[in-house]
Amino acid sequence: MRDTISLQVNGKAQRVDVDPKRSLLFVIRDVLGFTGTKYGCGEAQCGACTVLVAGKATRSCVTPVAAVAGKAITTIEGLAPGGVLHPLQQAFIDCGAMQCGYCTTGMILSGVALLEQHPHPTPAEIVSEMDGNICRCGTYPRIVAAIQKAAAATKAGGR
């Protein structure tokens, strides 16, 4: 069974004709072509598939597309309008917080959601909130540093 579902992805209205139970991840990647969102475990355990839905970090691999109809969805591609990097994207670069890069988009989107809720988190709060986003390369100290740097940049007048 297929339905036409209206989505709001990266600030743009999209209509997709898909099975309403299809995962948001595969609609984002295969139907809409936003390939920055990654498939990791398929069980909402690793965080590679994280996108923002109404500003909340959401595991797209287990989210049926019908559940997010009409809600604002942000993928990594939507964080840099006009090519201007989000402060957390820039901080990931500056702090060397990525190695292979596979987890990076999910880490950044989870970090953005964290900073929206807690603009100036402590290192312990960052570790707690980012638990569930797995980096197989082990760059966790640099990820924490990047989130702290982005928090400081935001406090100083960034986005």
Side-chain angles (χ1 to χ4, degrees):
M1 173 204 248
R2 295 170 77 89
D3 282 335
T4 300
I5 299 173
S6 297
L7 301 172
Q8 186 74 14
V9 181
N10 299 330
K12 184 178 176 190
Q14 304 273 359
R15 293 176 58 83
V16 295
D17 184 34
V18 296
D19 180 336
K21 294 177 186 172
R22 183 90 170 139
S23 77
L24 177 60
L25 170 67
F26 290 109
V27 171
I28 288 170
R29 289 184 56 80
D30 298 344
V31 178
L32 299 176
F34 295 111
T35 58
T37 305
K38 304 298 183 201
Y39 177 84
C41 67
E43 297 177 358
Q45 299 298 306
C46 73
C49 69
T50 302
V51 297
L52 301 180
V53 176
K56 183 177 183 228
T58 303
R59 302 298 200 250
S60 64
C61 70
V62 295
T63 303
V65 68
V68 297
K71 296 180 181 174
I73 300 163
T74 305
T75 69
I76 195 72
E77 293 90 347
L79 278 187
V84 177
L85 294 179
H86 184 280
L88 188 52
Q89 289 173 302
Q90 187 61 55
F92 260 65
I93 293 167
D94 295 346
C95 294
M98 60 196 126
Q99 196 163 329
C100 81
Y102 201 82
C103 72
T104 304
T105 61
M107 287 282 186
I108 289 174
L109 288 162
S110 291
V112 167
L114 164 63
L115 291 172
E116 286 294 319
Q117 294 297 312
H118 306 286
H120 308 294
T122 66
E125 290 171 328
I126 293 169
V127 169
S128 176
E129 290 294 321
M130 297 297 289
D131 187 36
N133 282 83
I134 298 171
C135 173
R136 291 180 60 146
C137 299
T139 64
Y140 297 111
R142 290 179 272 169
I143 291 167
V144 171
I147 293 171
Q148 289 180 298
K149 181 178 178 92
T154 303
K155 186 175 183 180
R159 282 197 241 191

